[in-house]
Amino acid sequence: MVGLSAVEVKGLVKNFGDFQAVRDVSFSVKEGEIFGLIGPNGAGKTTTMRMMATLLQISGGSINIFGKDVVKDTDDVRRIISYLPEEAGAYKNLTGRRYLEFIGRFFADGDEVHKMVDRGIEISDLADRIDDKVDSYSKGMTRRLLVGRALMFKPRLAILDELTSGLDVISAQQIRRIVKNIARDGTTIIVSSHNMLEVELICDRLALINDGKVVETGGPADLKKKYDAANIEDVFVKVVG
């Protein structure tokens, strides 16, 4: 159920020396929503997400997550969010189950770890392969394990960068199904992608980013209607072109 504000990004700026990667970005995300940051490679999506995940220092503006400022309340924010980078990996010499157990011990102990791992296994949906070593997994299976790892402790906000980058159609569909199910359970989710057609399939609302700036926001259906476009990719081209 989509509810009150979960994330408020206002006037966000990130400078790397003389280069400004993010320029006055503002958007809001509602609780329980799947929100997409979409745009071409190099648009500023990952930089924005890393600032939200408290991994990059903010040069200007603010980010507020469930009433917590990411600069002033960094530790509190880290307790309620999960961040999955595009190039995340898992320990290849561990089985999928052992990997989830290893990560789970950072968040809980005793029976709570077992409950968390069981949830991660359910989310990953790897069946008997959960007890095989990670180095035997396909890229799609590894990504499902990592999504399970990111979501098994029930974060209030999950930040998932380039959710299905490089995956085949079947693996991408499985990951999208997982994300939709988790959102229905109440986790707020922010995903990024340069694949605009894909994100259109799962997002309640979108922010279109180009050259470090938000150029448009709205629901997929509303944006397509506004720009008389067949899909979000066409919307983007009309907005920036």
Side-chain angles (χ1 to χ4, degrees):
M1 182 73 70
V2 175
L4 301 175
S5 177
V7 179
E8 293 286 344
V9 177
K10 296 181 179 179
L12 190 64
V13 173
K14 180 59 184 176
N15 300 321
F16 294 99
D18 294 332
F19 174 66
Q20 194 168 62
V22 175
R23 315 178 185 195
D24 195 27
V25 162
S26 299
F27 60 86
S28 63
V29 182
K30 297 176 183 177
E31 186 173 4
E33 191 171 46
I34 302 178
F35 188 87
L37 296 177
I38 66 174
N41 289 330
K45 305 184 301 298
T46 294
T47 301
T48 297
M49 286 184 143
R50 293 189 69 190
M51 285 189 282
M52 294 175 63
T54 75
L55 298 177
L56 275 181
Q57 203 168 35
I58 295 172
S59 300
S62 64
I63 303 173
N64 190 285
I65 297 177
F66 289 105
K68 306 292 184 182
D69 184 280
V70 299
V71 175
K72 298 177 182 177
D73 309 306
T74 304
D75 289 341
D76 291 336
V77 169
R78 288 174 176 169
R79 292 188 185 98
I80 61 173
I81 68 170
S82 178
Y83 172 60
L84 182 61
E86 177 183 3
E87 299 299 334
Y91 295 113
K92 294 186 176 182
N93 289 327
L94 296 179
T95 66
R97 185 188 302 274
R98 294 300 181 198
Y99 172 71
L100 294 178
E101 289 174 351
F102 173 75
I103 298 298
R105 291 191 187 100
F106 287 99
F107 297 94
D109 52 31
D111 289 342
E112 288 303 313
V113 173
H114 297 302
K115 291 177 183 177
M116 190 179 295
V117 170
D118 287 344
R119 178 173 168 80
I121 291 171
E122 180 182 358
I123 293 169
S124 302
D125 194 22
L126 291 170
D128 293 341
R129 295 298 305 276
I130 194 68
D131 289 309
D132 292 343
K133 286 190 173 182
V134 173
D135 67 1
S136 71
Y137 288 0
S138 67
K139 186 172 183 178
M141 293 170 65
T142 301
R143 193 64 173 171
R144 281 157 57 191
L145 179 69
L146 290 168
V147 170
R149 180 267 286 171
L151 300 175
M152 67 182 183
F153 69 93
K154 296 184 178 180
R156 294 188 71 184
L157 173 69
I159 304 167
L160 310 175
D161 193 11
E162 295 291 351
L163 181 62
T164 63
S165 177
L167 300 186
D168 61 78
V169 173
I170 299 300
S171 296
Q173 282 188 337
Q174 291 170 326
I175 298 251
R176 288 196 295 265
R177 173 180 52 78
I178 288 169
V179 168
K180 286 181 179 180
N181 289 340
I182 293 299
R184 279 196 288 268
D185 286 343
T187 295
T188 303
I189 295 175
I190 299 178
V191 299
S192 77
S193 182
H194 63 274
N195 184 338
M196 302 181 199
L197 300 179
E198 174 189 82
V199 176
E200 181 181 345
L201 297 174
I202 64 170
C203 290
D204 300 302
R205 289 190 306 120
L206 308 165
L208 280 62
I209 297 182
N210 188 55
D211 196 24
K213 298 176 288 187
V214 172
V215 294
E216 183 62 279
T217 59
D222 292 337
L223 290 174
K224 287 188 290 184
K225 182 177 180 180
K226 179 178 179 179
Y227 290 94
D228 190 24
N231 52 58
I232 292 298
E233 190 173 82
D234 289 344
V235 170
F236 186 86
V237 170
K238 289 187 177 184
V239 171
V240 304

